[in-house]
Amino acid sequence: MFIYTVQPGDNLSLLSRRFDIPVSKIAADNGLSSPNNLAVGQNLVIMSDIMRYRVEEGQTMYSIAREFEIPLNTLLEANPDVNPIALQIGDEILIPQQREFSLRPAVINGYAYPTITDYALNCSLPSLTFLSPFSYSISPRGEIFAPNDDAMIEKARNAGVMPLMTVTNIYEGTFSTEVMSEILADTEARENMISNILAELAAKDYYGLNLDIEYISPDDRESYNSFLREISERLHAAGYILVTAVAPKYRADQQGILYESHDYAVQGEAADYVVIMTYEWGYTFGYT
């Protein structure tokens, strides 16, 4: 298996011939609803260990091996019928897709609203590590308000999935910059919020906290970093894990209220896991 980046002129029929995989399988493996509309730069998963490649002008077996970052001997062994000193433009050779990396278990988190159907939840739970019922909301005084998550927690435990308490800065139906600013500026409100979270974690026997704080004022960046360090220390001392959700950034100094206060380095140090919300780039109302 490897990742292929679509090039100008590519289509599924061409890729099918190149990788010797049926068009229908490439489409199914990549969830392509419109397989005839590939975009240049789009990444496709190719469930094969061999790529067919046509030699271009000026190429040698050595230059091709370097281009695909594989040992020359490996390339020669994969093409025993090819004369390496008589390579011609248009010759077809096989490129082994070797990847050396250590495998580790995938950790999968799923968010779910209390309105999720039993069917959808039961279908999803076997694939999950964590289930994060969405969501607790907060007030400017650090109070927390629970969703109707008891049934989801019970189903998660029965399926061997670890439930996470999901806390957001949603106030009166929307993510609130102002509420989080008030909490960060008020020592008592911040203590109330952390204490209330710890009490709820214990009362419902959650495995840990999933903290989804969005639209933080850029002026609160360092205050939020301090808050993360404090709540991380308190959670770990009590035996819980911390998961944070962050907006997807393509550079550290990306501008915008959704991005500026999410300090990837600090969150990576404070949290046990970080959810990068790349769905912000892919859903109906997402950012492009």
Side-chain angles (χ1 to χ4, degrees), residues 121-139:
L121 186 58
N122 291 337
C123 287
S124 301
L125 284 172
S127 301
L128 299 181
T129 310
F130 304 121
L131 176 68
S132 297
F134 199 87
S135 73
Y136 281 76
S137 57
I138 58 176
S139 79

Side-chain angles (χ1 to χ4, degrees), residues 56-118:
E56 299 177 356
E57 184 177 1
Q59 289 187 312
T60 66
M61 293 295 269
Y62 175 70
S63 69
I64 293 171
R66 291 195 62 183
E67 178 180 345
F68 287 94
E69 299 180 346
I70 58 175
L72 177 59
N73 286 343
T74 300
L75 183 60
L76 295 174
E77 290 170 2
N79 296 274
D81 298 328
V82 174
N83 185 343
I85 62 174
L87 208 57
Q88 301 294 318
I89 296 173
D91 282 351
E92 188 175 84
I93 62 174
L94 302 179
I95 310 292
Q97 299 298 303
Q98 293 188 338
R99 297 290 185 271
E100 295 183 3
F101 51 85
S102 58
L103 297 177
R104 59 181 179 180
V107 176
I108 303 173
N109 172 69
Y111 289 103
Y113 287 106
T115 53
I116 189 172
T117 64
D118 287 344

Side-chain angles (χ1 to χ4, degrees), residues 93-257:
I93 62 174
L94 302 179
I95 310 292
Q97 299 298 303
Q98 293 188 338
R99 297 290 185 271
E100 295 183 3
F101 51 85
S102 58
L103 297 177
R104 59 181 179 180
V107 176
I108 303 173
N109 172 69
Y111 289 103
Y113 287 106
T115 53
I116 189 172
T117 64
D118 287 344
Y119 176 78
L121 186 58
N122 291 337
C123 287
S124 301
L125 284 172
S127 301
L128 299 181
T129 310
F130 304 121
L131 176 68
S132 297
F134 199 87
S135 73
Y136 281 76
S137 57
I138 58 176
S139 79
R141 295 181 297 278
E143 301 164 302
I144 59 174
F145 306 99
N148 184 17
D149 57 359
D150 292 338
M152 282 192 286
I153 293 173
E154 182 178 1
K155 285 182 177 292
R157 289 202 192 96
N158 291 339
V161 175
M162 292 169 279
L164 298 178
M165 177 185 179
T166 306
V167 174
T168 68
N169 56 321
I170 291 177
Y171 183 67
E172 296 182 345
T174 187
F175 283 97
S176 173
T177 301
E178 293 74 23
V179 165
M180 202 62 210
S181 288
E182 291 185 42
I183 291 173
L184 293 173
D186 186 332
T187 302
E188 183 177 350
R190 190 167 60 251
E191 175 57 34
N192 284 343
M193 180 177 171
I194 295 175
S195 296
N196 287 332
I197 288 172
L198 286 168
E200 192 74 356
L201 287 168
K204 291 192 174 181
D205 196 23
Y206 275 112
Y207 188 76
L209 173 67
N210 187 329
L211 197 59
D212 179 13
I213 305 299
E214 303 184 32
Y215 297 96
I216 308 163
S217 169
D219 293 337
D220 290 331
R221 177 184 171 99
E222 292 309 318
S223 296
Y224 186 59
N225 283 343
S226 296
F227 170 78
L228 284 175
R229 294 187 183 100
E230 179 181 1
I231 197 169
S232 172
E233 183 178 344
R234 303 257 308 259
L235 287 169
H236 290 149
Y240 300 107
I241 69 167
L242 172 63
V243 177
T244 60
V246 300
K249 299 199 290 188
Y250 54 86
R251 67 172 190 268
D253 61 348
Q254 186 171 340
Q255 300 299 300
I257 195 169

Side-chain angles (χ1 to χ4, degrees), residues 31 45 143 274:
V45 60
E143 301 164 302
V274 176

